[in-house]
Amino acid sequence: MNSQIFHPFVLPFVLGMAFVLTYCVVGLLRVIGQLSKDDRKKFWRSLVTPKTAWANIRDIVGDCLFHVKIWKRNPVLGYMHTAIAFGWFMIIVIGHIMLFTLKPLEGVDVEGFPRMFTNFYYPIFFKYFAEETPVFAFLMDFFLLMIISGILIAVVKKIHSKIVGVKRIMHFGFADNMIRFALWTIFPFRLIAEKTNIMAFWWLYSIDLFVFMFMLPFTRYMHIPTEALFILLRHAGLKPREPRKGYALAQIYSCPSCGLCIDACPMSVNDKNSGNTSAYFMKRLRNGDKEESQRIAETCMQCGKCVAVCPVSIESCDIKMSQREAVPYAINSDHSYLDAYESNETSNASVLYFAGCMTQLTPKIMRAMKQIMEAAGEKYEFMDKDGGVCCGRPMLLSGKTVEAQAMMAKNTELIKKSGAKRLVLSCPICYKVFKEEYQLEGIEILHHTQYIDELIKQGKLKVDKNGTNYVYHDPCELGRAFGVYDEPREVIESIGNLRKAKSEKELSICCGGSLGSFKLTQQERDEITANSVNDLMYNNPDEIVTACPLCLKTFARKAPVAVKDIAEVVATNLI
Amino acid sequence: MDFGFCLSPSSHVKMDNVDLTTFNRLKETNPDINTCIACGSCTATCTAGHFTEMSFRRLLLMLQRGKEDEAKKMIQRCMLCGKCTLVCSRGINIRKILLDITR
């Protein structure tokens, strides 16, 4: 054995480590510096508020260390990631604990060398410099083998991803491929170096570490240090304001490019469009490719499925929205003509019904709602019987947040003037904007699925049970956005048999009609619709039921069975 | 035929003199404009058209005739609600065209 306390082969590692630590500190200061004043205040406050502080600890341990969300999504990938990341973490921790138990090799004079400096690399190369205690030696070998088992799965995933249940994987450039190769070889080299003590492998091991750490800030592996910061910022309740600054920047660097959103994205049904998924969007943003990130942002349908499946909970939809907001427009809207508009009816109704633009195109929903409210003996009023003002969400989706205000102000005025205490909406697109953007204190906002469910439970509506087999499609803006999953299902179960779709609830597939996308062509939308219909037809239902007029209109073009709105189904089965 | 006088101002557009840059640019990025059959479904459903004279069919005609100023004035009324796109019998992505014009 050797009798040194220093060897030049540790230098690449020390250099790489110093570089990555400096970069992370600078990056941290940059992100915090780019937050707006209010956001920064919110951030500091969230760190000391017990509730968010606890959530921070829970999520950092759960997500960064144990990768609970990947386990939930796909256990094989969960093991793969945990084996590598948690195994590596344990090796580092045990290595540092071992510092206290290590005995220098015989004849080595430690006194002459600064202890602080040796502690920096001892845990990484300890087998070369010191003798270890048996218990720790076993643990170290155990975790090292665990990491290598994880790497083996990663290699299999790279060669044939379907074995681990992933259809499409990310395609990377040179830098990402190189750092991945470095990561894969670090641990085998370490194992060989430790077991054989061949000098070349100690060098290879150290150089691999250098390559990994030097390239880390420029590749997807930056998610390792950034995710913890992202969790803190997320719990502070921030929203991305600019596509590449502050909170959004933390999200961009937290994206591990795992590609789980590629299979999830409804657009991926056409392979050509799988490059428009969130994983690629985040990559383009990181590389500063403005044109492409803008294009992808405007192609996205904002269905939110990528956010639902993301193991890091990256809010890519919000970042895409901030990207849309960043576009300057030469012509601004002028909605001053709305000032003259007055709703012609005023009554003392307790329920105000707002159909919305999309429901105007599907008048059968309006008729059904009228029938239902009359049967229940409700005092109701139609807010936009002869065409009303748009809710403003389509304009918001284009990134024109200021210009949507005129419509929102008009609707707010009309609603407040009516004196109704409850607002019922048939369109989830409207529902989302009324819930999130409107200032309607004291007025309860309900989607008609919730309203009908309530009427049935209160006994105001009596429905006939028949033997029809229904399948329910969760509209994106009702399900994923607000978690309204149970009410429509309970309503349907009180009328007929509810069959399951292949993907349900937060995994439901967008109908393809979404107003969120500006760039998708009709043909591309049709492919998405066909895929979504296939998914719904999984258990051969007699009818497809949905709760969104846009989904209804979109599905009606492609579905092999009848497509109905939930209100229609209830109205035709009233006793 | 020009008699040197008329009862109403002439609506005659001399196509040699008009500037079609906006329309041609639009045609390049949105080739589906060419498939429009001017059926008027977009105009019939238009939410803004309920309150104003907003009409996508007319807007397209204005651009084809080089009447850019009028078109730009009209497009300010649009609420981008997307009903026109949904009812379009030719599957033209009207919302994108409307957005592109305002850029």
Side-chain angles (χ1 to χ4, degrees):
Chain A
M1 286 290 258
N2 45 77
S3 58
Q4 299 161 345
I5 47 173
F6 173 79
H7 191 283
F9 73 65
V10 303
L11 282 178
F13 160 75
V14 173
L15 266 176
M17 195 68 197
F19 172 75
V20 83
L21 285 178
T22 318
Y23 192 97
C24 286
V25 172
V26 173
L28 175 71
L29 295 177
R30 194 157 71 124
V31 166
I32 292 177
Q34 281 172 347
L35 292 177
S36 73
K37 228 178 189 178
D38 288 346
D39 280 358
R40 215 173 310 148
K41 216 187 249 173
K42 252 190 195 170
F43 175 55
W44 298 132
R45 201 172 300 149
S46 81
L47 292 182
V48 288
T49 313
K51 202 179 151 198
T52 42
W54 163 243
N56 284 339
I57 296 168
R58 187 195 59 207
D59 277 12
I60 287 178
V61 172
D63 293 351
C64 301
L65 212 54
F66 296 113
H67 319 292
V68 178
K69 281 188 196 142
I70 318 180
W71 279 97
K72 273 189 204 156
R73 201 55 56 208
N74 182 333
V76 182
L77 293 185
Y79 175 75
M80 180 190 89
H81 199 284
T82 309
I84 300 176
F86 182 66
W88 201 356
F89 175 79
M90 286 312 285
I91 279 191
I92 296 168
V93 170
I94 297 170
H96 281 85
I97 296 172
M98 249 181 1
L99 270 182
F100 301 104
T101 67
L102 286 180
K103 273 177 262 163
L105 298 174
E106 270 176 56
V108 176
D109 177 23
V110 193
E111 300 303 317
F113 210 78
R115 180 93 184 165
M116 275 292 286
F117 189 63
T118 55
N119 284 358
F120 198 59
Y121 58 79
Y122 254 40
I124 318 296
F125 304 98
F126 70 94
K127 272 241 170 109
Y128 183 80
F129 294 111
E131 267 179 68
E132 55 188 340
T133 40
V135 179
F136 287 119
F138 168 75
L139 282 177
M140 289 298 253
D141 283 350
F142 173 78
F143 282 114
L144 195 56
L145 289 174
M146 179 171 155
I147 295 173
I148 291 173
S149 72
I151 289 171
L152 283 177
I153 300 177
V155 175
V156 169
K157 180 182 166 230
K158 171 81 184 105
I159 297 167
H160 200 81
S161 63
K162 275 189 188 151
I163 295 178
V164 295
V166 179
K167 245 196 230 160
R168 303 174 191 85
I169 52 170
M170 283 280 283
H171 295 289
F172 294 112
F174 174 74
D176 277 294
N177 277 325
M178 187 166 158
I179 190 173
R180 178 166 58 190
F181 186 70
L183 176 69
W184 284 358
T185 48
I186 288 172
F187 303 99
F189 282 158
R190 175 174 177 152
L191 191 69
I192 298 170
E194 280 182 356
K195 298 301 165 201
T196 63
N197 215 14
I198 298 171
M199 193 49 69
F201 281 100
W202 283 115
W203 273 103
L204 280 172
Y205 168 47
S206 182
I207 290 170
D208 251 1
L209 282 170
F210 170 77
V211 170
F212 183 78
M213 285 189 286
F214 182 74
M215 295 184 81
L216 184 121
F218 315 109
T219 56
R220 64 199 189 110
Y221 292 96
M222 191 61 193
H223 77 271
I224 301 167
T226 324
E227 194 189 339
L229 172 68
F230 165 57
I231 288 173
L232 301 182
L233 291 168
R234 175 156 54 92
H235 287 156
L238 306 188
K239 283 256 162 222
R241 291 173 202 279
E242 278 174 87
R244 252 189 79 83
K245 273 190 179 164
Y247 182 39
L249 193 66
Q251 300 208 33
I252 290 168
Y253 282 106
S254 298
C255 174
S257 297
C258 63
L260 284 183
C261 50
I262 303 179
D263 274 348
C265 181
M267 285 194 287
S268 293
V269 64
N270 183 337
D271 271 337
K272 200 181 94 235
N273 273 333
S274 59
N276 292 336
T277 44
S278 291
Y280 284 100
F281 171 71
M282 301 303 277
K283 205 173 136 202
R284 303 272 185 216
L285 264 186
R286 183 166 47 201
N287 297 344
D289 187 344
K290 270 191 191 153
E291 218 167 275
E292 267 298 284
S293 43
Q294 178 66 28
R295 190 188 61 76
I296 299 177
E298 288 181 3
T299 310
C300 167
M301 298 194 290
Q302 295 278 326
C303 73
K305 198 172 168 186
C306 50
V307 182
V309 301
C310 182
V312 194
S313 304
I314 287 175
E315 294 143 348
S316 40
C317 281
D318 290 348
I319 300 180
K320 283 173 193 160
M321 284 312 300
S322 69
Q323 175 78 45
R324 290 179 186 190
E325 282 164 29
V327 181
Y329 283 92
I331 304 172
N332 289 321
S333 301
D334 175 17
H335 297 125
S336 52
Y337 59 85
L338 288 177
D339 295 343
Y341 171 61
E342 299 277 335
S343 183
N344 39 14
E345 283 167 65
T346 40
S347 65
N348 300 320
S350 58
V351 178
L352 189 64
Y353 176 75
F354 181 74
C357 303
M358 294 301 144
T359 318
Q360 303 277 358
L361 287 182
T362 48
K364 51 184 180 178
I365 300 180
M366 282 168 85
R367 278 198 296 274
M369 279 311 289
K370 194 171 177 187
Q371 215 179 321
I372 287 170
M373 288 194 276
E374 250 158 36
E378 291 276 289
K379 277 175 82 181
Y380 69 94
E381 186 193 330
F382 272 52
M383 185 172 145
D384 55 347
K385 201 190 257 167
D386 311 306
V389 182
C390 173
C391 63
R393 178 153 167 86
M395 191 61 104
L396 285 175
L397 279 169
S398 74
K400 298 183 173 188
T401 35
V402 181
E403 291 164 288
Q405 299 305 322
M407 293 173 250
M408 285 158 61
K410 189 75 211 174
N411 279 326
T412 310
E413 184 197 315
L414 293 175
I415 294 163
K416 287 206 168 146
K417 218 172 92 185
S418 77
K421 288 281 154 248
R422 310 185 93 187
L423 177 68
V424 176
L425 306 157
S426 272
C427 176
I429 305 168
C430 303
Y431 182 68
K432 187 168 164 84
V433 72
F434 275 103
K435 273 277 204 196
E436 286 179 350
E437 308 284 338
Y438 279 64
Q439 308 288 327
L440 294 167
E441 298 81 13
I443 297 171
E444 195 186 357
I445 301 162
L446 291 164
H447 185 257
H448 73 312
T449 48
Q450 298 166 312
Y451 179 63
I452 294 169
D453 183 47
E454 190 195 283
L455 290 178
I456 292 177
K457 280 188 183 148
Q458 285 174 349
K460 287 186 183 172
L461 274 187
K462 295 237 170 357
V463 283
D464 204 5
K465 182 115 182 151
N466 63 36
T468 318
N469 297 315
Y470 297 106
V471 65
Y472 176 68
H473 168 75
D474 286 291
C476 309
E477 274 142 327
L478 193 65
R480 271 189 288 269
F482 294 102
V484 181
Y485 296 124
D486 299 332
E487 290 94 332
R489 288 187 165 77
E490 278 164 26
V491 170
I492 294 169
E493 271 172 347
S494 67
I495 295 170
N497 309 316
L498 183 64
R499 294 239 173 136
K500 280 198 159 145
K502 200 173 163 197
S503 335
E504 281 201 314
K505 300 189 175 174
E506 80 269 14
L507 296 180
S508 94
I509 304 172
C510 172
C511 67
S514 172
L515 285 177
S517 172
F518 284 90
K519 296 237 153 129
L520 282 181
T521 61
Q522 193 57 51
Q523 204 185 349
E524 287 167 320
R525 285 179 185 271
D526 284 349
E527 288 166 356
I528 296 166
T529 311
N531 179 41
S532 187
V533 167
N534 270 346
D535 199 90
L536 288 169
M537 294 302 292
Y538 188 65
N539 276 323
N540 297 319
D542 304 325
E543 279 175 22
I544 296 175
V545 181
T546 179
C548 169
L550 186 52
C551 297
L552 177 77
K553 235 178 141 44
T554 315
F555 281 142
R557 295 157 55 104
K558 292 271 160 195
V561 293
V563 186
K564 285 183 180 165
D565 188 87
I566 195 161
E568 273 180 272
V569 176
V570 174
T572 46
N573 288 290
L574 284 175
I575 304 176
Chain B
M1 209 176 285
D2 190 4
F3 294 105
F5 67 91
C6 61
L7 290 175
S8 56
S10 168
S11 57
H12 184 87
V13 178
K14 282 205 175 101
M15 290 306 282
D16 290 340
N17 301 338
V18 296
D19 177 19
L20 289 177
T21 36
T22 312
F23 185 65
N24 289 335
R25 186 177 51 100
L26 209 60
K27 255 202 319 201
E28 245 168 63
T29 46
N30 301 287
D32 48 353
I33 285 189
N34 296 322
T35 63
C36 174
I37 52 169
C39 67
S41 302
C42 45
T43 305
T45 51
C46 184
T47 310
H50 188 64
F51 304 103
T52 65
E53 74 282 22
M54 170 80 199
S55 152
F56 181 73
R57 181 170 65 162
R58 213 136 71 79
L59 188 89
L60 210 55
L61 198 67
M62 284 172 183
L63 290 174
Q64 282 166 341
R65 299 282 184 271
K67 294 184 168 184
E68 261 183 51
D69 292 340
E70 279 176 58
K72 281 179 181 169
K73 213 171 162 190
M74 181 183 270
I75 206 167
Q76 292 184 319
R77 316 269 185 262
C78 174
M79 300 194 196
L80 272 180
C81 69
K83 274 155 97 178
C84 48
T85 313
L86 219 62
V87 298
C88 181
S89 54
R90 305 292 285 167
I92 301 173
N93 194 349
I94 302 177
R95 265 179 103 225
K96 175 169 180 284
I97 296 169
L98 286 163
L99 208 60
D100 280 355
I101 300 171
T102 56
R103 286 222 166 126

